[in-house]
Amino acid sequence: DTAVSQTPKYLVTQMGNDKSIKCEQNLGHDTMYWYKQDSKKFLKIMFSYNNKELIINETVPNRFSPKSPDKAHLNLHINSLELGDSAVYFCASSQRTSTYEQYFGPGTRLTVT
Amino acid sequence: AQKITQTQPGMFVQEKEAVTLDCTYDTSDPSYGLFWYKQPSSGEMIFLIYQGSYDQQNATEGRYSLNFQKARKSANLVISASQLGDSAMYFCAMRERGNNNDMRFGAGTRLTVKP
């Protein structure tokens, strides 16, 4: 059983397009996250979200928006894609009543041409 | 300001030997947690070990142990009896209660285990 899954694993698209990445967790966790990992492997949090509040990293452009249809899903929608958006995007989840360790999805490699 | 510092971009270790990966952190929050993750070349992020700021003993998980020195604000990862499969990127991370318990990662250390 996959704990945190993401689709697609690879996404190649052109500048200016709009795309979405889907994330699902079956761990029963109450909080989900999106991270961006750049070409130098630096991991940066973009959003954290539970059913009560969305915390947005202030450096994230508003072209990026998380959408959560329910507790088990947190999708990432990106408008007007730019070359600099090329990166690996990770979804993660955690339970905020425990030690908060996060479990990550396999990542989505986004390439903008 | 950088909250998590990993000063070793790359490390080499001989198979079956032990290796220490350094991590220092900066916080004034009394309640925080420290984590280590492994990222092999396949790309997934694997949770290895956790240390809470109030934990009295160093955390251990199999061949992984966390050398927690609170006063020095360091949380080094020790891998004993290195295996070829330990070759990967290793990330130190911290969450702070005052920062919504969100996690911040260090820049990572690339470990290569030599046969």
Side-chain angles (χ1 to χ4, degrees), chain B residues 50-80:
Chain B
Y50 166 81
Q51 180 86 43
S53 58
Y54 296 116
D55 294 342
Q56 295 296 313
Q57 293 189 328
N58 287 344
T60 60
E61 288 288 346
R63 294 186 298 110
Y64 304 110
S65 60
L66 201 152
N67 185 0
F68 181 43
Q69 298 188 43
K70 194 170 183 177
R72 299 176 67 178
K73 294 187 176 177
S74 74
N76 299 339
L77 177 70
V78 180
I79 306 175
S80 62

Side-chain angles (χ1 to χ4, degrees), chain B residues 2-21:
Chain B
Q2 185 62 262
K3 291 269 190 176
I4 298 287
T5 303
Q6 294 180 253
T7 58
Q8 307 153 313
M11 287 282 287
F12 290 88
V13 64
Q14 204 68 36
E15 193 178 7
K16 299 181 184 178
E17 293 185 349
V19 63
T20 297
L21 306 183

Side-chain angles (χ1 to χ4, degrees), chain A residues 9 31 33 35 37 40-43 45 48 53 55 57 90 96 98-106, chain B residues 2 33 35 37 39-40 42-47 50 89 91 95 100-107 110:
Chain A
K9 189 166 176 62
T31 306
Y33 311 82
Y35 288 87
Q37 186 174 42
K40 296 183 178 179
K41 298 292 188 181
F42 187 67
L43 266 164
I45 189 165
S48 66
E53 62 180 335
I55 305 295
N57 184 314
F90 285 98
R96 293 203 163 207
S98 72
T99 54
Y100 298 81
E101 71 264 21
Q102 296 180 12
Y103 293 91
F104 283 74
Chain B
Q2 185 62 262
F35 305 80
Y37 283 82
Q39 187 176 39
S42 51
E44 69 269 32
M45 292 286 290
I46 303 168
F47 166 67
Y50 166 81
M89 283 287 289
F91 292 95
R95 62 152 180 87
N100 200 43
N101 282 303
D102 287 339
M103 204 175 286
R104 297 292 183 265
F105 285 81
R110 183 173 296 281

